[in-house]
PDB file of all heavy atoms in Angstrom:
ATOM      1  N   PHE A   1     -59.373 163.573  60.031  1.00  0.00           N
ATOM      2  CA  PHE A   1     -59.591 162.416  59.120  1.00  0.00           C
ATOM      3  C   PHE A   1     -60.189 161.225  59.710  1.00  0.00           C
ATOM      4  O   PHE A   1     -61.068 160.570  59.369  1.00  0.00           O
ATOM      5  CB  PHE A   1     -58.359 161.948  58.299  1.00  0.00           C
ATOM      6  CG  PHE A   1     -57.670 163.063  57.453  1.00  0.00           C
ATOM      7  CD1 PHE A   1     -56.318 163.136  57.487  1.00  0.00           C
ATOM      8  CD2 PHE A   1     -58.449 163.947  56.901  1.00  0.00           C
ATOM      9  CE1 PHE A   1     -55.884 164.219  56.562  1.00  0.00           C
ATOM     10  CE2 PHE A   1     -57.836 165.083  56.131  1.00  0.00           C
ATOM     11  CZ  PHE A   1     -56.563 165.085  55.942  1.00  0.00           C
ATOM     12  N   MET A   2     -59.522 160.940  61.007  1.00  0.00           N
ATOM     13  CA  MET A   2     -60.041 159.750  61.820  1.00  0.00           C
ATOM     14  C   MET A   2     -61.426 160.040  62.240  1.00  0.00           C
ATOM     15  O   MET A   2     -62.248 159.089  62.307  1.00  0.00           O
ATOM     16  CB  MET A   2     -59.123 159.593  62.932  1.00  0.00           C
ATOM     17  CG  MET A   2     -57.711 159.051  62.483  1.00  0.00           C
ATOM     18  SD  MET A   2     -56.518 158.889  63.769  1.00  0.00           S
ATOM     19  CE  MET A   2     -57.152 157.549  64.666  1.00  0.00           C
ATOM     20  N   ASP A   3     -61.862 161.182  62.635  1.00  0.00           N
ATOM     21  CA  ASP A   3     -63.173 161.582  62.992  1.00  0.00           C
ATOM     22  C   ASP A   3     -64.165 161.332  61.770  1.00  0.00           C
ATOM     23  O   ASP A   3     -65.201 160.758  61.871  1.00  0.00           O
ATOM     24  CB  ASP A   3     -63.355 163.041  63.390  1.00  0.00           C
ATOM     25  CG  ASP A   3     -62.767 163.233  64.711  1.00  0.00           C
ATOM     26  OD1 ASP A   3     -62.338 162.209  65.498  1.00  0.00           O
ATOM     27  OD2 ASP A   3     -62.434 164.489  65.205  1.00  0.00           O
ATOM     28  N   MET A   4     -63.796 161.813  60.534  1.00  0.00           N
ATOM     29  CA  MET A   4     -64.543 161.658  59.373  1.00  0.00           C
ATOM     30  C   MET A   4     -64.708 160.024  59.111  1.00  0.00           C
ATOM     31  O   MET A   4     -65.848 159.642  58.850  1.00  0.00           O
ATOM     32  CB  MET A   4     -63.938 162.249  58.149  1.00  0.00           C
ATOM     33  CG  MET A   4     -63.912 163.618  58.175  1.00  0.00           C
ATOM     34  SD  MET A   4     -63.157 164.311  56.645  1.00  0.00           S
ATOM     35  CE  MET A   4     -63.504 166.017  56.697  1.00  0.00           C
ATOM     36  N   ILE A   5     -63.595 159.304  59.181  1.00  0.00           N
ATOM     37  CA  ILE A   5     -63.720 157.838  58.958  1.00  0.00           C
ATOM     38  C   ILE A   5     -64.775 157.264  59.998  1.00  0.00           C
ATOM     39  O   ILE A   5     -65.503 156.339  59.780  1.00  0.00           O
ATOM     40  CB  ILE A   5     -62.350 157.273  59.063  1.00  0.00           C
ATOM     41  CG1 ILE A   5     -61.535 157.704  57.783  1.00  0.00           C
ATOM     42  CG2 ILE A   5     -62.465 155.808  59.021  1.00  0.00           C
ATOM     43  CD1 ILE A   5     -60.126 157.416  57.882  1.00  0.00           C
ATOM     44  N   GLY A   6     -64.500 157.712  61.350  1.00  0.00           N
ATOM     45  CA  GLY A   6     -65.308 157.006  62.432  1.00  0.00           C
ATOM     46  C   GLY A   6     -66.753 157.393  62.242  1.00  0.00           C
ATOM     47  O   GLY A   6     -67.611 156.645  62.678  1.00  0.00           O
ATOM     48  N   LYS A   7     -67.063 158.497  61.631  1.00  0.00           N
ATOM     49  CA  LYS A   7     -68.535 158.902  61.542  1.00  0.00           C
ATOM     50  C   LYS A   7     -69.126 158.466  60.382  1.00  0.00           C
ATOM     51  O   LYS A   7     -70.443 158.532  60.127  1.00  0.00           O
ATOM     52  CB  LYS A   7     -68.700 160.475  61.738  1.00  0.00           C
ATOM     53  CG  LYS A   7     -68.249 161.075  63.110  1.00  0.00           C
ATOM     54  CD  LYS A   7     -68.260 162.529  63.027  1.00  0.00           C
ATOM     55  CE  LYS A   7     -67.916 163.104  64.430  1.00  0.00           C
ATOM     56  NZ  LYS A   7     -67.803 164.577  64.362  1.00  0.00           N
ATOM     57  N   ALA A   8     -68.351 157.902  59.348  1.00  0.00           N
ATOM     58  CA  ALA A   8     -68.843 157.584  58.003  1.00  0.00           C
ATOM     59  C   ALA A   8     -69.865 156.539  58.082  1.00  0.00           C
ATOM     60  O   ALA A   8     -69.615 155.492  58.640  1.00  0.00           O
ATOM     61  CB  ALA A   8     -67.720 157.267  57.099  1.00  0.00           C
ATOM     62  N   ASN A   9     -70.932 156.741  57.329  1.00  0.00           N
ATOM     63  CA  ASN A   9     -71.921 155.586  57.191  1.00  0.00           C
ATOM     64  C   ASN A   9     -71.280 154.497  56.321  1.00  0.00           C
ATOM     65  O   ASN A   9     -71.493 153.332  56.590  1.00  0.00           O
ATOM     66  CB  ASN A   9     -73.143 156.224  56.458  1.00  0.00           C
ATOM     67  CG  ASN A   9     -74.097 155.113  55.851  1.00  0.00           C
ATOM     68  OD1 ASN A   9     -74.618 154.228  56.814  1.00  0.00           O
ATOM     69  ND2 ASN A   9     -74.259 155.004  54.708  1.00  0.00           N
ATOM     70  N   SER A  10     -70.385 154.819  55.340  1.00  0.00           N
ATOM     71  CA  SER A  10     -69.814 153.889  54.520  1.00  0.00           C
ATOM     72  C   SER A  10     -68.593 154.486  54.010  1.00  0.00           C
ATOM     73  O   SER A  10     -68.377 155.775  53.914  1.00  0.00           O
ATOM     74  CB  SER A  10     -70.623 153.363  53.430  1.00  0.00           C
ATOM     75  OG  SER A  10     -70.723 154.270  52.434  1.00  0.00           O
ATOM     76  N   ILE A  11     -67.508 153.663  53.585  1.00  0.00           N
ATOM     77  CA  ILE A  11     -66.322 154.056  52.983  1.00  0.00           C
ATOM     78  C   ILE A  11     -66.253 153.494  51.561  1.00  0.00           C
ATOM     79  O   ILE A  11     -66.475 152.366  51.399  1.00  0.00           O
ATOM     80  CB  ILE A  11     -65.068 153.734  53.731  1.00  0.00           C
ATOM     81  CG1 ILE A  11     -65.046 154.376  55.101  1.00  0.00           C
ATOM     82  CG2 ILE A  11     -63.895 154.068  53.059  1.00  0.00           C
ATOM     83  CD1 ILE A  11     -63.917 153.825  56.091  1.00  0.00           C
ATOM     84  N   GLN A  12     -65.982 154.425  50.527  1.00  0.00           N
ATOM     85  CA  GLN A  12     -65.907 153.944  49.220  1.00  0.00           C
ATOM     86  C   GLN A  12     -64.457 153.899  48.719  1.00  0.00           C
ATOM     87  O   GLN A  12     -63.841 154.956  48.761  1.00  0.00           O
ATOM     88  CB  GLN A  12     -66.762 154.804  48.182  1.00  0.00           C
ATOM     89  CG  GLN A  12     -66.499 154.552  46.815  1.00  0.00           C
ATOM     90  CD  GLN A  12     -67.000 153.133  46.421  1.00  0.00           C
ATOM     91  OE1 GLN A  12     -68.237 152.827  46.450  1.00  0.00           O
ATOM     92  NE2 GLN A  12     -66.084 152.314  46.030  1.00  0.00           N
ATOM     93  N   PHE A  13     -63.929 152.768  48.407  1.00  0.00           N
ATOM     94  CA  PHE A  13     -62.507 152.767  47.975  1.00  0.00           C
ATOM     95  C   PHE A  13     -62.598 153.033  46.443  1.00  0.00           C
ATOM     96  O   PHE A  13     -63.623 152.939  45.817  1.00  0.00           O
ATOM     97  CB  PHE A  13     -61.950 151.469  48.185  1.00  0.00           C
ATOM     98  CG  PHE A  13     -61.667 151.088  49.614  1.00  0.00           C
ATOM     99  CD1 PHE A  13     -62.501 150.206  50.291  1.00  0.00           C
ATOM    100  CD2 PHE A  13     -60.655 151.669  50.200  1.00  0.00           C
ATOM    101  CE1 PHE A  13     -62.317 149.953  51.569  1.00  0.00           C
ATOM    102  CE2 PHE A  13     -60.344 151.336  51.552  1.00  0.00           C
ATOM    103  CZ  PHE A  13     -61.231 150.520  52.302  1.00  0.00           C
ATOM    104  N   PRO A  14     -61.480 153.631  45.906  1.00  0.00           N
ATOM    105  CA  PRO A  14     -61.403 154.096  44.486  1.00  0.00           C
ATOM    106  C   PRO A  14     -62.039 153.034  43.592  1.00  0.00           C
ATOM    107  O   PRO A  14     -61.461 151.910  43.603  1.00  0.00           O
ATOM    108  CB  PRO A  14     -59.961 154.505  44.243  1.00  0.00           C
ATOM    109  CG  PRO A  14     -59.475 154.759  45.639  1.00  0.00           C
ATOM    110  CD  PRO A  14     -60.180 153.847  46.568  1.00  0.00           C
ATOM    111  N   TYR A  15     -62.741 153.415  42.586  1.00  0.00           N
ATOM    112  CA  TYR A  15     -63.219 152.548  41.562  1.00  0.00           C
ATOM    113  C   TYR A  15     -62.009 151.810  40.848  1.00  0.00           C
ATOM    114  O   TYR A  15     -62.027 150.676  40.589  1.00  0.00           O
ATOM    115  CB  TYR A  15     -64.037 153.219  40.486  1.00  0.00           C
ATOM    116  CG  TYR A  15     -65.352 153.618  40.885  1.00  0.00           C
ATOM    117  CD1 TYR A  15     -65.785 153.661  42.340  1.00  0.00           C
ATOM    118  CD2 TYR A  15     -66.246 154.105  40.025  1.00  0.00           C
ATOM    119  CE1 TYR A  15     -67.136 154.024  42.623  1.00  0.00           C
ATOM    120  CE2 TYR A  15     -67.630 154.522  40.372  1.00  0.00           C
ATOM    121  CZ  TYR A  15     -67.959 154.586  41.714  1.00  0.00           C
ATOM    122  OH  TYR A  15     -69.140 155.017  42.083  1.00  0.00           O
ATOM    123  N   ASP A  16     -60.919 152.582  40.618  1.00  0.00           N
ATOM    124  CA  ASP A  16     -59.890 151.979  39.719  1.00  0.00           C
ATOM    125  C   ASP A  16     -59.050 151.045  40.528  1.00  0.00           C
ATOM    126  O   ASP A  16     -58.263 150.405  40.001  1.00  0.00           O
ATOM    127  CB  ASP A  16     -59.094 153.211  39.045  1.00  0.00           C
ATOM    128  CG  ASP A  16     -58.384 153.976  40.165  1.00  0.00           C
ATOM    129  OD1 ASP A  16     -59.053 154.468  41.180  1.00  0.00           O
ATOM    130  OD2 ASP A  16     -57.105 154.128  40.041  1.00  0.00           O
ATOM    131  N   GLN A  17     -59.204 150.982  41.808  1.00  0.00           N
ATOM    132  CA  GLN A  17     -58.556 150.067  42.570  1.00  0.00           C
ATOM    133  C   GLN A  17     -59.500 148.891  42.986  1.00  0.00           C
ATOM    134  O   GLN A  17     -58.904 147.828  43.248  1.00  0.00           O
ATOM    135  CB  GLN A  17     -57.923 150.748  43.861  1.00  0.00           C
ATOM    136  CG  GLN A  17     -56.931 151.675  43.571  1.00  0.00           C
ATOM    137  CD  GLN A  17     -56.534 152.639  44.717  1.00  0.00           C
ATOM    138  OE1 GLN A  17     -56.918 152.318  45.886  1.00  0.00           O
ATOM    139  NE2 GLN A  17     -56.002 153.663  44.488  1.00  0.00           N
ATOM    140  N   VAL A  18     -60.738 149.138  42.976  1.00  0.00           N
ATOM    141  CA  VAL A  18     -61.651 147.882  43.351  1.00  0.00           C
ATOM    142  C   VAL A  18     -61.979 147.187  42.073  1.00  0.00           C
ATOM    143  O   VAL A  18     -61.990 145.927  42.177  1.00  0.00           O
ATOM    144  CB  VAL A  18     -62.985 148.515  44.091  1.00  0.00           C
ATOM    145  CG1 VAL A  18     -63.918 147.443  44.303  1.00  0.00           C
ATOM    146  CG2 VAL A  18     -62.650 149.262  45.312  1.00  0.00           C
ATOM    147  N   LEU A  19     -62.097 147.775  41.129  1.00  0.00           N
ATOM    148  CA  LEU A  19     -62.577 147.116  39.816  1.00  0.00           C
ATOM    149  C   LEU A  19     -61.395 146.488  39.046  1.00  0.00           C
ATOM    150  O   LEU A  19     -60.198 146.867  39.295  1.00  0.00           O
ATOM    151  CB  LEU A  19     -63.185 148.178  38.783  1.00  0.00           C
ATOM    152  CG  LEU A  19     -64.464 148.966  39.269  1.00  0.00           C
ATOM    153  CD1 LEU A  19     -64.766 150.035  38.248  1.00  0.00           C
ATOM    154  CD2 LEU A  19     -65.620 147.900  39.271  1.00  0.00           C
ATOM    155  N   PRO A  20     -61.668 145.392  38.296  1.00  0.00           N
ATOM    156  CA  PRO A  20     -60.576 144.790  37.568  1.00  0.00           C
ATOM    157  C   PRO A  20     -59.876 145.889  36.675  1.00  0.00           C
ATOM    158  O   PRO A  20     -60.549 146.855  36.244  1.00  0.00           O
ATOM    159  CB  PRO A  20     -61.382 143.846  36.576  1.00  0.00           C
ATOM    160  CG  PRO A  20     -62.642 143.549  37.317  1.00  0.00           C
ATOM    161  CD  PRO A  20     -63.013 144.793  38.039  1.00  0.00           C
ATOM    162  N   PRO A  21     -58.605 145.791  36.527  1.00  0.00           N
ATOM    163  CA  PRO A  21     -57.734 146.885  35.833  1.00  0.00           C
ATOM    164  C   PRO A  21     -58.410 147.482  34.601  1.00  0.00           C
ATOM    165  O   PRO A  21     -58.362 148.636  34.454  1.00  0.00           O
ATOM    166  CB  PRO A  21     -56.426 146.190  35.616  1.00  0.00           C
ATOM    167  CG  PRO A  21     -56.367 145.239  36.733  1.00  0.00           C
ATOM    168  CD  PRO A  21     -57.747 144.667  36.998  1.00  0.00           C
ATOM    169  N   ALA A  22     -58.859 146.645  33.703  1.00  0.00           N
ATOM    170  CA  ALA A  22     -59.361 147.176  32.411  1.00  0.00           C
ATOM    171  C   ALA A  22     -60.646 147.954  32.624  1.00  0.00           C
ATOM    172  O   ALA A  22     -60.753 149.070  32.071  1.00  0.00           O
ATOM    173  CB  ALA A  22     -59.755 145.961  31.465  1.00  0.00           C
ATOM    174  N   LEU A  23     -61.377 147.613  33.491  1.00  0.00           N
ATOM    175  CA  LEU A  23     -62.665 148.374  33.757  1.00  0.00           C
ATOM    176  C   LEU A  23     -62.263 149.606  34.641  1.00  0.00           C
ATOM    177  O   LEU A  23     -62.866 150.733  34.381  1.00  0.00           O
ATOM    178  CB  LEU A  23     -63.790 147.551  34.489  1.00  0.00           C
ATOM    179  CG  LEU A  23     -65.078 148.041  34.866  1.00  0.00           C
ATOM    180  CD1 LEU A  23     -65.677 148.635  33.518  1.00  0.00           C
ATOM    181  CD2 LEU A  23     -65.900 146.978  35.645  1.00  0.00           C
ATOM    182  N   GLY A  24     -61.263 149.543  35.526  1.00  0.00           N
ATOM    183  CA  GLY A  24     -60.895 150.679  36.290  1.00  0.00           C
ATOM    184  C   GLY A  24     -60.223 151.597  35.310  1.00  0.00           C
ATOM    185  O   GLY A  24     -60.401 152.981  35.543  1.00  0.00           O
ATOM    186  N   GLU A  25     -59.419 151.291  34.425  1.00  0.00           N
ATOM    187  CA  GLU A  25     -58.927 152.218  33.507  1.00  0.00           C
ATOM    188  C   GLU A  25     -59.937 152.853  32.680  1.00  0.00           C
ATOM    189  O   GLU A  25     -59.877 154.076  32.389  1.00  0.00           O
ATOM    190  CB  GLU A  25     -57.856 151.525  32.541  1.00  0.00           C
ATOM    191  CG  GLU A  25     -56.570 151.226  33.356  1.00  0.00           C
ATOM    192  CD  GLU A  25     -55.782 152.323  33.826  1.00  0.00           C
ATOM    193  OE1 GLU A  25     -55.572 153.320  33.134  1.00  0.00           O
ATOM    194  OE2 GLU A  25     -55.484 152.344  35.002  1.00  0.00           O
ATOM    195  N   LEU A  26     -60.889 152.171  32.214  1.00  0.00           N
ATOM    196  CA  LEU A  26     -61.956 152.732  31.402  1.00  0.00           C
ATOM    197  C   LEU A  26     -62.767 153.805  32.269  1.00  0.00           C
ATOM    198  O   LEU A  26     -63.073 154.866  31.711  1.00  0.00           O
ATOM    199  CB  LEU A  26     -62.946 151.746  30.950  1.00  0.00           C
ATOM    200  CG  LEU A  26     -64.152 152.134  30.091  1.00  0.00           C
ATOM    201  CD1 LEU A  26     -63.519 152.714  28.770  1.00  0.00           C
ATOM    202  CD2 LEU A  26     -65.172 151.041  29.741  1.00  0.00           C
ATOM    203  N   HIS A  27     -62.931 153.459  33.554  1.00  0.00           N
ATOM    204  CA  HIS A  27     -63.645 154.546  34.397  1.00  0.00           C
ATOM    205  C   HIS A  27     -62.816 155.803  34.420  1.00  0.00           C
ATOM    206  O   HIS A  27     -63.349 156.811  34.269  1.00  0.00           O
ATOM    207  CB  HIS A  27     -63.773 153.939  35.838  1.00  0.00           C
ATOM    208  CG  HIS A  27     -63.777 154.856  36.932  1.00  0.00           C
ATOM    209  ND1 HIS A  27     -64.791 155.778  37.140  1.00  0.00           N
ATOM    210  CD2 HIS A  27     -62.863 155.186  37.937  1.00  0.00           C
ATOM    211  CE1 HIS A  27     -64.492 156.521  38.161  1.00  0.00           C
ATOM    212  NE2 HIS A  27     -63.343 156.145  38.676  1.00  0.00           N
ATOM    213  N   LYS A  28     -61.480 155.670  34.466  1.00  0.00           N
ATOM    214  CA  LYS A  28     -60.696 156.887  34.503  1.00  0.00           C
ATOM    215  C   LYS A  28     -60.657 157.568  33.145  1.00  0.00           C
ATOM    216  O   LYS A  28     -60.794 158.809  32.992  1.00  0.00           O
ATOM    217  CB  LYS A  28     -59.293 156.538  34.920  1.00  0.00           C
ATOM    218  CG  LYS A  28     -59.115 156.182  36.395  1.00  0.00           C
ATOM    219  CD  LYS A  28     -57.740 156.025  36.887  1.00  0.00           C
ATOM    220  CE  LYS A  28     -56.954 154.963  36.104  1.00  0.00           C
ATOM    221  NZ  LYS A  28     -55.475 154.836  36.574  1.00  0.00           N
ATOM    222  N   ASP A  29     -60.530 156.759  32.094  1.00  0.00           N
ATOM    223  CA  ASP A  29     -60.582 157.349  30.738  1.00  0.00           C
ATOM    224  C   ASP A  29     -61.822 158.115  30.419  1.00  0.00           C
ATOM    225  O   ASP A  29     -61.836 159.190  29.926  1.00  0.00           O
ATOM    226  CB  ASP A  29     -60.346 156.227  29.758  1.00  0.00           C
ATOM    227  CG  ASP A  29     -58.880 155.607  29.811  1.00  0.00           C
ATOM    228  OD1 ASP A  29     -58.079 156.350  30.321  1.00  0.00           O
ATOM    229  OD2 ASP A  29     -58.858 154.451  29.107  1.00  0.00           O
ATOM    230  N   THR A  30     -63.024 157.426  30.767  1.00  0.00           N
ATOM    231  CA  THR A  30     -64.238 158.094  30.402  1.00  0.00           C
ATOM    232  C   THR A  30     -64.635 159.362  31.296  1.00  0.00           C
ATOM    233  O   THR A  30     -65.111 160.312  30.798  1.00  0.00           O
ATOM    234  CB  THR A  30     -65.531 157.119  30.541  1.00  0.00           C
ATOM    235  OG1 THR A  30     -65.318 156.442  31.792  1.00  0.00           O
ATOM    236  CG2 THR A  30     -65.332 155.952  29.523  1.00  0.00           C
ATOM    237  N   THR A  31     -64.151 159.340  32.564  1.00  0.00           N
ATOM    238  CA  THR A  31     -64.345 160.494  33.426  1.00  0.00           C
ATOM    239  C   THR A  31     -63.506 161.642  32.910  1.00  0.00           C
ATOM    240  O   THR A  31     -63.920 162.697  32.868  1.00  0.00           O
ATOM    241  CB  THR A  31     -64.000 160.060  34.821  1.00  0.00           C
ATOM    242  OG1 THR A  31     -64.848 159.018  35.301  1.00  0.00           O
ATOM    243  CG2 THR A  31     -64.297 161.376  35.740  1.00  0.00           C
ATOM    244  N   GLN A  32     -62.208 161.299  32.462  1.00  0.00           N
ATOM    245  CA  GLN A  32     -61.349 162.312  31.775  1.00  0.00           C
ATOM    246  C   GLN A  32     -61.998 162.989  30.593  1.00  0.00           C
ATOM    247  O   GLN A  32     -62.017 164.183  30.382  1.00  0.00           O
ATOM    248  CB  GLN A  32     -60.052 161.968  31.508  1.00  0.00           C
ATOM    249  CG  GLN A  32     -59.048 162.979  31.110  1.00  0.00           C
ATOM    250  CD  GLN A  32     -57.682 162.430  30.776  1.00  0.00           C
ATOM    251  OE1 GLN A  32     -57.520 161.515  29.958  1.00  0.00           O
ATOM    252  NE2 GLN A  32     -56.613 162.960  31.421  1.00  0.00           N
ATOM    253  N   GLU A  33     -62.578 162.067  29.754  1.00  0.00           N
ATOM    254  CA  GLU A  33     -63.356 162.561  28.542  1.00  0.00           C
ATOM    255  C   GLU A  33     -64.603 163.352  28.929  1.00  0.00           C
ATOM    256  O   GLU A  33     -64.844 164.496  28.310  1.00  0.00           O
ATOM    257  CB  GLU A  33     -63.760 161.303  27.732  1.00  0.00           C
ATOM    258  CG  GLU A  33     -62.677 160.687  27.110  1.00  0.00           C
ATOM    259  CD  GLU A  33     -62.494 160.564  25.677  1.00  0.00           C
ATOM    260  OE1 GLU A  33     -62.880 161.763  25.072  1.00  0.00           O
ATOM    261  OE2 GLU A  33     -61.999 159.687  25.026  1.00  0.00           O
ATOM    262  N   ILE A  34     -65.331 162.940  30.019  1.00  0.00           N
ATOM    263  CA  ILE A  34     -66.379 163.768  30.489  1.00  0.00           C
ATOM    264  C   ILE A  34     -65.955 165.178  30.859  1.00  0.00           C
ATOM    265  O   ILE A  34     -66.442 166.234  30.451  1.00  0.00           O
ATOM    266  CB  ILE A  34     -67.170 163.071  31.590  1.00  0.00           C
ATOM    267  CG1 ILE A  34     -67.818 161.980  31.254  1.00  0.00           C
ATOM    268  CG2 ILE A  34     -68.086 164.066  32.337  1.00  0.00           C
ATOM    269  CD1 ILE A  34     -68.482 161.017  32.364  1.00  0.00           C
ATOM    270  N   LEU A  35     -64.769 165.253  31.628  1.00  0.00           N
ATOM    271  CA  LEU A  35     -64.235 166.508  32.049  1.00  0.00           C
ATOM    272  C   LEU A  35     -63.740 167.379  30.842  1.00  0.00           C
ATOM    273  O   LEU A  35     -63.801 168.577  30.791  1.00  0.00           O
ATOM    274  CB  LEU A  35     -63.070 166.254  32.987  1.00  0.00           C
ATOM    275  CG  LEU A  35     -63.468 165.914  34.530  1.00  0.00           C
ATOM    276  CD1 LEU A  35     -62.412 165.180  35.168  1.00  0.00           C
ATOM    277  CD2 LEU A  35     -63.755 167.256  35.223  1.00  0.00           C
ATOM    278  N   GLY A  36     -63.365 166.674  29.870  1.00  0.00           N
ATOM    279  CA  GLY A  36     -62.774 167.331  28.594  1.00  0.00           C
ATOM    280  C   GLY A  36     -63.843 167.758  27.649  1.00  0.00           C
ATOM    281  O   GLY A  36     -63.746 168.364  26.669  1.00  0.00           O
ATOM    282  N   LEU A  37     -65.138 167.415  28.028  1.00  0.00           N
ATOM    283  CA  LEU A  37     -66.320 167.721  27.189  1.00  0.00           C
ATOM    284  C   LEU A  37     -66.304 166.988  25.755  1.00  0.00           C
ATOM    285  O   LEU A  37     -66.776 167.363  24.828  1.00  0.00           O
ATOM    286  CB  LEU A  37     -66.481 169.180  26.980  1.00  0.00           C
ATOM    287  CG  LEU A  37     -66.639 170.080  28.232  1.00  0.00           C
ATOM    288  CD1 LEU A  37     -66.832 171.552  27.936  1.00  0.00           C
ATOM    289  CD2 LEU A  37     -67.739 169.516  29.212  1.00  0.00           C
TER     290      LEU A  37
END
């Protein structure tokens, strides 16, 4: 893991933790709906 982190061009933190809660929850909700077709 440390090697991956060290070699990474960038690190993306989870959308639902970076975005404001309402938008982060919508991100999770809509992705679950996409997965559920």
